[in-house]
């Protein structure tokens, strides 16, 4: 059975379609949307899936409208956007570094965003919006530092990962120091934020993240073909007309902004950026960065993790970052064992 087909579009052009990858993307989108509907119906006032859908199209009663549109829908949308941002950001970093461990979790971008948020919380007792801006600034500063320190006639593979691990260790120490200098109230607030949670998220977190994704995701997808070409090596890519370092700079900046904004919206939700691209690649069995599949996988993973955190532990609801941390930690151990057996580490 053929997995690639040529599809003709208006204007006489033809586009190659990977049938398996397209099918995986559609199924992941349906999974994410289905889990979102179930999640909206979950809570102290449970709603059936049909009631949720009826309310979403504007045919629910006033009580249902308030519960769905004001309380639960913003949380679910933040979860979808954060998961999608982390998924595509992780795919970009893993493709640029050519390393399955080259994700924002390992490179220290999450820790950098955490440092920015902790600085605002501990030193300035900032508001929620100020904490989000601090996290965004911390992620950008950390990403810039990693890029500059990893630069040596370009940014390549293991150098990027090793520099990121070193920067992560330094920033983690800074975070620990900030926590020791804070009072008990700010420390408790900081620890809650550092766990990664979707609790209390509203439309104030949805719109900035949606706007950023609306700008950056098309930029990333427009450069996906050139990114795939760089996997053949810098010399061949340059010979084919790809401006490799400019491409890496644009895509790394996009990945840093997506990751930092996701962290600003929900805290440092761990391991989604690491696992989503790898799971997407295994499902599609397609070479290249699998950007769209990774984005859909990240959204599905985070919404499913949030559903598990609300339903699997009875009355006790865990922050979504705890669930993703446990699942991602198990996956990381499996990945390390697999890479070692293959002789790559």
């Amino acid at each position: 059975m053929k997995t690639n087909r040529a599809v003709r579009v208006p204007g006489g052009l033809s586009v190659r379609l990977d049938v398996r990858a397209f099918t995986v993307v559609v199924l992941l989108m349906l999974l994410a949307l289905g889990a979102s509907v179930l999640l909206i119906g979950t809570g102290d006032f449970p709603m059936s899936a049909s009631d949720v859908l009826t309310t979403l199209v504007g045919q629910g009663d006033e009580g249902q409208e308030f519960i769905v549109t004001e309380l639960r829908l913003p949380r679910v949308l933040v979860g979808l956007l954060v998961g999608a941002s982390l998924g595509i950001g992780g795919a970009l970093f893993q493709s640029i570094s050519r390393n399955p461990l080259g994700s924002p979790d390992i490179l220290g971008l999450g820790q950098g965003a955490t440092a920015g948020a902790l600085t605002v919380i501990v030193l300035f007792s900032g508001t929620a919006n100020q904490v989000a801006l601090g996290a965004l600034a911390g992620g950008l500063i950390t990403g810039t530092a990693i890029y500059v320190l990893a630069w040596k006639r370009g940014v390549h593979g293991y150098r990027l990962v090793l520099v990121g691990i070193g920067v992560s260790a330094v920033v983690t120490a800074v975070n620990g120091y900030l926590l020791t200098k804070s009072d008990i109230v700010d420390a408790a607030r900081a620890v809650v934020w550092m766990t990664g949670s979707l609790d209390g998220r509203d439309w104030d977190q949805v719109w900035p993240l949606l706007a950023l994704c609306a700008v950056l995701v098309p930029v990333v997808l427009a450069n996906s073909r050139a990114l795939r070409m760089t996997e053949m090596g810098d010399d061949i890519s340059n010979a084919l007309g790809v401006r490799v370092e400019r491409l890496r700079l644009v895509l790394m900046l996009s990945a840093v902004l997506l990751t930092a904004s996701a962290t600003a919206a929900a805290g440092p939700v761990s391991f989604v950026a690491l696992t989503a691209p790898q799971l997407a690649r295994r499902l599609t069995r397609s070479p290249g960065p699998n950007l769209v599949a990774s984005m859909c996988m990240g959204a599905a993973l985070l919404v499913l993790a949030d559903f598990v955190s609300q339903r699997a532990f009875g009355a006790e609801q865990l922050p979504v970052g705890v669930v993703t941390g446990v699942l991602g930690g198990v996956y990381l151990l499996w990945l390390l064992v697999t890479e070692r057996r293959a002789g790559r580490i």
Side-chain angles (χ1 to χ4, degrees), residues 37-38 40-43 45-49 51-52 55 64 67-68 72:
V37 171
L38 293 177
I40 292 174
T42 299
F45 299 94
M47 298 173 61
S48 65
D51 288 339
V52 171
T55 304
Q64 292 173 333
I67 291 173
V68 171
R72 297 178 183 173

Side-chain angles (χ1 to χ4, degrees), residues 116-179:
L118 288 181
T119 300
V120 174
I121 293 173
V122 173
L123 300 182
F124 304 104
S125 298
T127 63
N129 289 334
Q130 291 171 339
V131 170
L133 288 175
L136 184 61
L140 285 172
I141 293 171
T142 304
T144 302
I146 293 172
Y147 185 86
V148 171
L149 293 173
W151 174 270
K152 185 178 180 182
R153 295 188 297 274
V155 176
H156 303 283
Y158 279 101
R159 188 189 309 132
L160 180 66
V161 176
L162 292 174
V163 169
I165 292 173
V167 171
S168 176
V170 173
V171 177
T172 300
V174 171
N175 293 342
Y177 173 76
L178 289 172
L179 284 176

